[in-house]
Amino acid sequence: MTSTVPAPVARTADGSALQAVLLDMDGTLVDTEGFWWEIEAEIFQELGHRLDEAWRDVVVGGPMSRSATFLIESTGAAIGLAELSVLLNERFEARIADRVPLMPGAERLLAELARHNVPTALVSASHRRVIDQVLLTLGRDRFTMTVAGDEVARTKPHPDPYLFAAHSLGAHPSRCAVIEDTHTGVAAAEAAGCRVVAIPSVGVIEPAPGRTVVRSLEDVDLAFLRSLIAPMN
């Protein structure tokens, strides 16, 4: 976990009660969700198994331990969880070594949040080694703190990563806007009590109380995020 102690969060001039913005990484800020599936399919093909496309909705956005275990059990492949996890991380790092494609609107939004000094956390189920490599593209200085999936006892879909991020930023979860792309991430953020903006990358995510669904990050700016949090009295 990396973090910086933030200054106390003040109510903004427009009356907004937004205290922090918490963002997922894969499929939300960087266009890498497809990379994980391609790598999984490649490894299991080498092991003599073909992955069912329907499984993609099951493994997307989840912690590696859950996704990898599901694929091992579903295929009956002769590989252990620890060995598969190492293979997945190594091949993913190799895949993004030269280029990490950003999602449309990501650079603009991160720049706007930084310009207005909004406390911002990157909250991912990916391991620290992967996050640190992606941060070379995203910019470590764009985030007040980052949380990796292998740094919390329970990662997504449990609320722990988002609760930890909010607490570390001195923010109340209900005053945090979370941007996510999968059902797993949305479930984690909602369980933490955060206001969620969903940008579906795989499968359909429907609007719900406390949840707004948009087409892409190009539809999201600071004014929009502030409008989601009820003004303080």
Side-chain angles (χ1 to χ4, degrees):
M1 262 163 273
T2 63
S3 62
T4 303
V5 178
V9 181
R11 180 175 173 174
T12 58
D14 66 356
S16 169
L18 177 70
Q19 293 181 329
V21 177
L22 317 178
L23 304 104
D24 173 55
M25 187 177 77
D26 294 298
T28 298
L29 291 176
V30 291
D31 191 7
T32 51
E33 286 289 16
F35 289 4
W36 285 111
W37 179 250
E38 290 168 8
I39 291 167
E40 288 160 348
E42 176 184 286
I43 290 173
F44 277 90
Q45 184 174 8
E46 293 169 5
L47 294 169
H49 299 274
R50 182 180 182 133
L51 299 188
D52 188 323
E53 188 70 24
W55 296 344
R56 186 171 181 176
D57 287 346
V58 179
V59 302
V60 68
M64 184 174 295
S65 58
R66 188 198 72 184
S67 301
T69 298
F70 171 83
L71 293 175
I72 292 170
E73 292 177 349
S74 298
T75 60
I79 189 170
L81 176 60
E83 182 183 358
L84 178 57
S85 296
V86 169
L87 278 175
L88 288 169
N89 276 319
E90 288 180 345
R91 294 204 188 182
F92 185 82
E93 289 179 64
R95 184 71 60 91
I96 64 173
D98 298 323
R99 181 180 66 93
V100 182
L102 299 183
M103 297 297 287
E107 173 63 29
R108 174 199 51 77
L109 178 60
L110 291 175
E112 182 181 18
L113 295 175
R115 189 166 61 251
H116 290 272
N117 298 312
V118 177
T120 307
L122 182 68
V123 182
S124 176
S126 290
H127 289 191
R128 168 57 55 191
R129 57 188 283 185
V130 169
I131 289 178
D132 284 345
Q133 187 164 341
V134 174
L135 284 172
L136 296 176
T137 297
L138 288 176
R140 190 179 298 275
D141 61 339
R142 293 286 178 82
F143 303 96
T144 311
M145 68 169 302
T146 65
V147 183
D150 56 342
E151 295 174 336
V152 288
R154 302 186 307 171
T155 189
K156 306 172 187 179
H158 298 288
D160 305 37
Y162 283 115
L163 290 173
F164 177 80
H167 175 76
S168 298
L169 294 175
H172 192 280
S174 66
R175 301 298 181 186
C176 295
V178 169
I179 305 178
E180 272 281 0
D181 72 304
T182 66
H183 285 285
T184 300
V186 167
E190 291 181 342
C194 302
R195 188 66 165 83
V196 177
V197 177
I199 307 173
S201 63
V202 177
V204 176
I205 300 176
E206 298 290 348
R211 180 197 311 165
T212 302
V213 180
V214 298
R215 178 183 57 86
S216 80
L217 281 178
E218 293 182 313
D219 299 325
V220 179
D221 58 16
L222 181 54
F224 170 76
L225 295 173
R226 284 173 169 166
S227 74
L228 301 176
I229 311 295
M232 295 176 176
N233 294 324

